[in-house]
Amino acid sequence: MSTPLLSAQNVSIYYGDKQAVRDVNLTVQRGTVNALIGPSGCGKTTFLRAINRMHDLTPGARVTGRIVLDGEDVYGPGVDPVTMRRRVGMVFQKPNPFPTMSVFDNVVSGLKLAGVRDRARLMDVAERSLRGAALWDEVKDRLKTPATGLSGGQQQRLCIARALAVEPELLLMDEPTSALDPASTARIEDLMTGLKQVTTILIVTHNMHQAARVSDTTSFFLNGDLVEHGATDQVFTSPRDERTEAYVTGRFG
Amino acid sequence: MNEPVRPRPLTRAPLSARSDRTFQGLILALASVIVLVFVLSVYQLGRESWPALREFGLSFYTERTWNPVSGQFGAAQMLIGTLVTSLAALVLSVPLAVASALFVAEYAPKWLANPVGYLIELLAAVPSVVYGLWALFVIAPILGRWQQGFFADPANVALYTRCQDLWNSGQTTLQCFFVPSAFDGRGLALAIIILTVMILPYTASVARDVIRLVPADQREAMYALGATKWEVISRAILPYARAGILGGVILALGRALGETLAVAMVIGDSQEIIKSLWGGASTMASVIANQFGDAQERLHRSSVVALGLGLFFLSVAVNFLARVVIARLTPKGIQ
Amino acid sequence: MTAQSTPLSGRPRPRLSAARRLRNLLMGVLIALSTVVVVAPLLLIFFYLLREGLGAMNLEFFTRTPAPEGETGGGLLNAILGSLQMLAMASVLGVGVGVAGGIFLAEYPRHPLMPTVRMLSDVLAGIPAIVMGLVAYGLIVLQFGFSGLAGAVALGFLMIPIVVRTTEEVLKLVPVTVREAGLSLGLPQWLVILRIVLPAAAGGIITGVMLALARVAGEAAPLLFTAFGNPLVNLDPTKPMSALPLEIYRGATSAYDENQRLAKAGALLLILIIFATSLLARRASRRR
Ligand SMILES: Nc1ncnc2c1ncn2[C@@H]1O[C@H](COP(=O)(O)OP(=O)(O)OP(=O)(O)O)[C@@H](O)[C@H]1O
Ligand SMILES: [Mg+2]
């Protein structure tokens, strides 16, 4: 096995005095889909947001331990959080397209706002990303219309395309389908397998079936602890920890 | 699309967090102008009013004589004029404002509530000079006619003569306080009337916003008990909205204290002791407007600025009070 | 007959007593009447100015300066141009500082200076306009004499807190996740603010600026000892300048009929402009 893309070492996260994530160790291999599951409030979002340093902007939030992305500590001295975030994409729980921009401008916003002017290149990136997010056929004739005019499911795929456009090495997804109807959810789940070709995915989900269907590994969080981490088949069929078993079989949470 | 994932350096890129610091510096510099304006205001007002405050000390604000000819300056009379006009206007406007807020929020159907809301907002946008002009040309003649009618009765003339003797000796009685001392309608009463009209829309729109924030379940709980509309209002809505309305009232007081031109145009600009509701008076703001331009004497000018300084601190204090009241008394859960 | 056998339908119906019913009705009527009293002045003022001022609003009104005292005719061109110039200059100060202040409060809540700026902005909002006139007098007029620029500075000071407040409010309406989406793309915060958040809030900010303009356009008090007034058309901001509210004030307190007539026409023009601006601003904020 090659060096992992991401490795979290003794990561603890605090909000003020309150510890939300405790001493988590976790590795993520390239080109895989990895699910984070656990009951509400157990620290999944908190952990996810530590990876792209989103907590830098939360008052009182503090991260200890090491998070190493492709050999480099993302909290290391001299690491520029802005540059670092460019390598890590994020898709949020609710679709959040930029409200004043067209579909096209949304997709290429990461490049365009950073100064890329080359129309041909932007067009190329937009098409590739939209195809990657399985949205191209639905929007190719309305690229110039406002993004807020799309349906919720389309908006979420647009947000995925927007994240893909900057070619992230790692894509963080925080319950990306929880605000969507079953059809849109199915489309996005279908996407994941294809996305493995271009990036690595870390996805938070409350949906056991979703975790079982799309992910290669699964990590179970409980009260800020990483209780169990392993291949998805193993976690779901023969969990090592009884709390994991209770959770995946729906006996609590 | 299937490019190999290539490592990229984490540091030193064109779009770094360093550019953020530049932008934040720029925003901070511009925002600091707000601090600067405040500091400069205090400094300017303090510097300009220093001669008067050095001459009279803090008793400047408690001394009643204001006489540019003899060079004696005390602001007490204007302080009283300011407080009397503002508080009287407040007392008159609050019931009306709350009633109109209740009408808009609770009684009126939407097709009526919206236009009435518009009108109240426009009322708040009418400039002070325009209110002053209207008061001068429309209300003052009406009051003047009433005052002249008052003297048509010989008994009233006798009363007036008696009161005038009192007034001349610097005194008044409750009866004389209500006897007209002028014939042109201008004076304290007109100032209070126009000030009332001017602060009505502020109180009304704050009250409306607060009443709209009262949760529906508070109303419904009362209705469910079989209460009439007025009982719901008086027992559920008003108690709940009280703090917010009080905060709005104090903010309106802040506005009334500093209202200048409308008052200056109609109050009759007298710095003597207030002897009649209908007589001339002055407020701190009206004296600044009426006298600063003509004040040649250094001490006179400095005294006028000292009025401004007093007004400055008075408004700051009232604003703080309003915010404390709102923060203290607002039921938890509504911001 | 036992107690439990009372049929439900046989219970006495509760009735609203006549007194409660009357009081309810009475209060309703009182509340409606009070509302009439509250809005009546607006209609009275408006129709008074229409009656008295509309006739004086002719071509001459817009193209001439006031006639010398005692003569007839003339217009308020000096005041109209003066108001426009001073409002334009005040906007530079009010919008520049106000929008930046709003950005500072909304986007940098953790900055140690944030509470100070927020508090002082609130304090400035409550300071009477005439006091701001005294401040601008001390800052500028004492050294450079009366000027349109001094008037504009006073008006700009008054605009700042209004613009700060609305800017902060509308920026906070933009969801946090929109900002986070921008940051997660590797955009620096300033680009996220300038290119994503500000455009999303632009409608509300424009509304706030228009309301601030409508508010200061009617202020005469801070101009008394700054812009001072000028009977002639003046396009030089370093010289004394007239403004509509100033002419209204001088005209209304003047003994000459002709000046009073111009004041009424000026007042009509002023409130028409202010009403139009307020309504437009309100419509713009509605559409969002
Ligand atoms: N900004 C914050 N400040 C303080 N505490 C926070 C903050 N955000 C989250 N928390 C707390 O940290 C804990 C973990 O929250 P987190 O959002 O990571 O849970 P989660 O696993 O994502 O839950 P969910 O499944 O409901 O999204 C919770 O107890 C939460 O209350
Ligand atoms: Mg979460």
Side-chain angles (χ1 to χ4, degrees):
Chain A
M1 217 185 252
S2 62
T3 55
L5 174 66
L6 178 82
S7 95
Q9 300 158 16
N10 305 96
V11 171
S12 290
I13 306 165
Y14 305 80
Y15 293 110
D17 297 335
K18 196 175 137 234
Q19 187 164 12
V21 166
R22 202 170 299 110
D23 212 15
V24 165
N25 289 284
L26 182 75
T27 56
V28 170
Q29 300 299 330
R30 289 168 210 279
T32 56
V33 175
N34 306 266
L36 302 183
I37 60 172
S40 188
C42 66
K44 306 180 295 290
T45 300
T46 302
F47 178 70
L48 206 66
R49 291 163 62 88
I51 296 169
N52 63 346
R53 292 187 62 165
M54 252 358 178
H55 291 307
D56 286 15
L57 297 144
T58 316
R62 200 156 44 85
V63 181
T64 64
R66 272 162 61 85
I67 297 178
V68 179
L69 180 68
D70 201 20
E72 239 176 316
D73 184 352
V74 302
Y75 287 91
V79 173
D80 184 324
V82 172
T83 322
M84 200 282 303
R85 286 191 198 112
R86 206 174 170 74
R87 297 171 50 193
V88 183
M90 191 164 208
V91 176
F92 298 77
Q93 187 165 357
K94 284 207 202 104
N96 55 0
F98 298 139
T100 51
M101 293 184 194
S102 66
V103 172
F104 176 80
D105 282 342
N106 256 283
V107 178
V108 298
S109 53
L111 298 174
K112 208 172 161 181
L113 295 186
V116 175
R117 294 269 173 275
D118 182 351
R119 292 289 305 176
R121 176 161 165 227
L122 290 178
M123 196 56 223
D124 182 52
V125 169
E127 178 169 349
R128 257 195 313 162
S129 313
L130 284 167
R131 281 190 195 283
L135 188 60
W136 174 252
D137 291 329
E138 287 160 69
V139 300
K140 63 172 186 278
D141 300 322
R142 47 199 283 206
L143 290 175
K144 293 291 163 212
T145 61
T148 44
L150 301 181
S151 77
Q154 289 173 328
Q155 286 187 16
Q156 191 64 309
R157 277 178 283 147
L158 178 65
C159 293
I160 295 175
R162 181 177 66 187
L164 290 177
V166 292
E167 298 175 19
E169 293 156 56
L170 177 64
L171 185 60
L172 308 173
M173 303 176 107
D174 193 356
E175 302 182 44
T177 60
S178 68
L180 303 182
D181 65 292
S184 304
T185 303
R187 300 211 56 163
I188 287 179
E189 285 180 11
D190 290 345
L191 261 176
M192 307 256 187
T193 335
L195 288 179
K196 277 202 277 193
Q197 313 292 316
V198 282
T199 186
T200 305
I201 295 177
L202 198 54
I203 176 173
V204 171
T205 177
H206 272 220
N207 181 332
M208 291 307 118
H209 299 291
Q210 185 169 70
R213 268 196 302 271
V214 303
S215 69
D216 301 304
T217 76
T218 296
S219 311
F220 173 58
F221 279 72
L222 187 62
N223 292 333
D225 294 310
L226 175 57
V227 172
E228 184 157 354
H229 170 63
T232 298
D233 286 345
Q234 175 256 309
V235 172
F236 276 89
T237 55
S238 52
R240 281 187 293 265
D241 194 293
E242 58 188 24
R243 291 170 295 174
T244 314
E245 182 173 10
Y247 186 74
V248 298
T249 54
R251 270 188 281 127
F252 80 83
Chain B
M1 193 165 182
N2 294 0
E3 301 165 42
V5 184
R6 54 187 191 280
R8 276 170 274 188
L10 290 175
T11 41
R12 279 196 300 127
L15 281 176
S16 70
R18 229 167 303 149
S19 55
D20 271 335
R21 246 160 281 144
T22 315
F23 179 75
Q24 188 179 347
L26 183 73
I27 289 291
L28 181 61
L30 282 170
S32 303
V33 173
I34 295 166
V35 181
L36 190 72
V37 171
F38 178 82
V39 172
L40 282 177
S41 301
V42 175
Y43 170 73
Q44 275 303 335
L45 294 171
R47 198 186 61 167
E48 298 270 310
S49 53
W50 179 237
L53 292 179
R54 195 182 43 198
E55 178 84 16
F56 305 113
L58 276 183
S59 64
F60 174 78
Y61 294 106
T62 54
E63 200 53 52
R64 307 187 86 157
T65 319
W66 181 276
N67 190 340
V69 181
S70 69
Q72 276 225 305
F73 296 100
Q77 213 44 60
M78 293 115 205
L79 196 60
I80 293 172
T82 301
L83 293 177
V84 166
T85 48
S86 301
L87 290 175
L90 212 57
V91 168
L92 291 177
S93 72
V94 166
L96 288 169
V98 173
S100 76
L102 285 171
F103 182 79
V104 170
E106 301 291 321
Y107 283 87
K110 217 176 159 91
W111 62 264
L112 187 57
N114 280 338
V116 171
Y118 263 133
L119 288 182
I120 291 178
E121 248 168 67
L122 291 184
L123 209 47
V126 173
S128 191
V129 262
V130 175
Y131 277 114
L133 180 144
W134 181 66
L136 212 50
F137 290 147
V138 179
I139 311 287
I142 296 175
L143 294 184
R145 233 169 293 140
W146 178 83
Q147 288 166 341
Q148 281 150 28
F150 179 85
F151 294 109
D153 184 343
N156 285 340
V157 175
L159 174 63
Y160 174 77
T161 324
R162 244 181 300 132
C163 288
Q164 208 175 22
D165 289 341
L166 261 175
W167 290 336
N168 286 341
S169 63
Q171 292 170 320
T172 191
T173 61
L174 191 63
Q175 192 184 28
C176 287
F177 186 72
F178 290 100
V179 169
S181 63
F183 311 93
D184 61 357
R186 290 199 227 178
L188 185 60
L190 183 52
I192 291 174
I193 291 173
I194 201 64
L195 211 43
T196 306
V197 173
M198 290 177 75
I199 61 175
L200 265 174
Y202 299 123
T203 333
S205 50
V206 176
R208 182 196 56 196
D209 292 347
V210 175
I211 287 169
R212 281 199 176 144
L213 277 181
V214 177
D217 54 7
Q218 298 276 329
R219 276 161 246 244
E220 281 156 11
M222 282 300 288
Y223 276 124
L225 291 174
T228 63
K229 186 160 201 138
W230 169 246
E231 286 161 351
V232 171
I233 288 171
S234 60
R235 297 198 200 145
I237 295 176
L238 289 182
Y240 195 93
R242 204 169 37 201
I245 294 177
L246 186 61
V249 167
I250 299 175
L251 282 179
L253 176 66
R255 295 213 164 240
L257 294 173
E259 252 334 317
T260 310
L261 283 185
V263 174
M265 288 160 85
V266 303
I267 200 168
D269 193 29
S270 152
Q271 281 82 53
E272 288 174 25
I273 290 168
I274 298 170
K275 284 165 280 188
S276 163
L277 179 60
W278 306 98
S282 57
T283 66
M284 298 161 89
S286 80
V287 170
I288 300 174
N290 284 327
Q291 297 192 4
F292 185 73
D294 303 327
Q296 300 299 331
E297 206 69 39
R298 197 169 92 104
L299 200 56
H300 187 191
R301 188 163 270 248
S302 168
S303 299
V304 173
V305 179
L307 288 178
L309 185 70
L311 202 49
F312 181 95
F313 283 118
L314 203 57
S315 352
V316 172
V318 166
N319 261 290
F320 265 103
L321 185 67
R323 270 185 304 146
V324 170
V325 166
I326 293 174
R328 273 281 181 79
L329 299 181
T330 306
K332 290 279 174 308
I334 56 176
Q335 294 294 330
Chain C
M1 244 203 352
T2 56
Q4 69 178 135
S5 70
T6 314
L8 278 175
S9 55
R11 285 190 195 165
R13 288 260 189 96
R15 286 178 125 243
L16 214 51
S17 74
R20 284 175 67 199
R21 205 186 296 239
L22 190 69
R23 173 181 310 206
N24 188 38
L25 192 72
L26 207 71
M27 291 316 291
V29 171
L30 262 179
I31 283 172
L33 280 180
S34 305
T35 309
V36 173
V37 173
V38 171
V39 295
L42 181 75
L43 304 177
L44 291 176
I45 291 173
F46 190 65
F47 287 113
Y48 172 75
L49 289 180
L50 268 186
R51 203 184 68 208
E52 300 279 315
L54 199 57
M57 260 187 168
N58 45 26
L59 189 65
E60 209 177 341
F61 176 80
F62 291 103
T63 55
R64 300 274 301 275
T65 54
E69 294 207 331
E71 291 177 29
T72 56
L76 291 182
L77 183 64
N78 57 334
I80 295 170
L81 291 180
S83 274
L84 288 178
Q85 291 175 76
M86 282 195 274
L87 289 175
M89 289 186 284
S91 299
V92 175
L93 181 62
V95 175
V97 175
V99 171
I103 291 178
F104 182 68
L105 295 185
E107 306 291 332
Y108 299 99
R110 282 191 297 162
H111 197 283
L113 273 180
M114 199 287 272
T116 315
V117 171
R118 143 94 41 70
M119 188 192 70
L120 291 185
S121 172
D122 281 352
V123 164
L124 287 184
I127 290 175
I130 184 108
V131 176
M132 275 305 170
L134 286 179
V135 170
Y137 175 88
L139 283 179
I140 302 174
V141 179
L142 271 186
Q143 304 194 30
F144 304 105
F146 297 117
S147 66
L149 199 62
V153 167
L155 297 183
F157 285 173
L158 292 172
M159 282 180 79
I160 289 173
I162 310 177
V163 178
V164 167
R165 187 169 299 176
T166 32
T167 303
E168 185 193 0
E169 272 168 16
V170 293
L171 285 180
K172 284 186 169 165
L173 288 181
V174 179
V176 180
T177 61
V178 166
R179 293 178 177 82
E180 291 181 341
L183 294 173
S184 77
L185 289 174
L187 296 171
Q189 199 182 0
W190 67 275
L191 270 180
V192 173
I193 293 171
L194 281 188
R195 304 294 299 277
I196 297 171
V197 180
L198 266 189
I205 295 176
I206 290 169
T207 301
V209 170
M210 282 167 70
L211 287 177
L213 275 174
R215 157 88 202 285
V216 302
E219 287 290 358
L223 301 181
L224 287 173
F225 347 108
T226 50
F228 190 71
N230 190 335
L232 305 174
V233 168
N234 169 26
L235 301 177
D236 177 356
T238 63
K239 297 266 154 46
M241 204 177 262
S242 188
L244 270 176
L246 269 181
E247 291 293 339
I248 297 168
Y249 175 59
R250 300 250 156 87
T253 50
S254 146
Y256 293 96
D257 276 356
E258 199 54 26
N259 294 0
Q260 297 183 358
R261 195 181 59 93
L262 279 184
K264 289 169 191 167
L268 179 62
L269 178 64
L270 185 59
I271 64 168
L272 284 177
I273 294 172
I274 290 175
F275 285 1
T277 315
S278 307
L279 290 181
L280 242 128
R282 198 173 145 135
R283 284 221 5 228
S285 69
R286 272 275 179 86
R287 237 177 331 161
R288 267 184 304 130

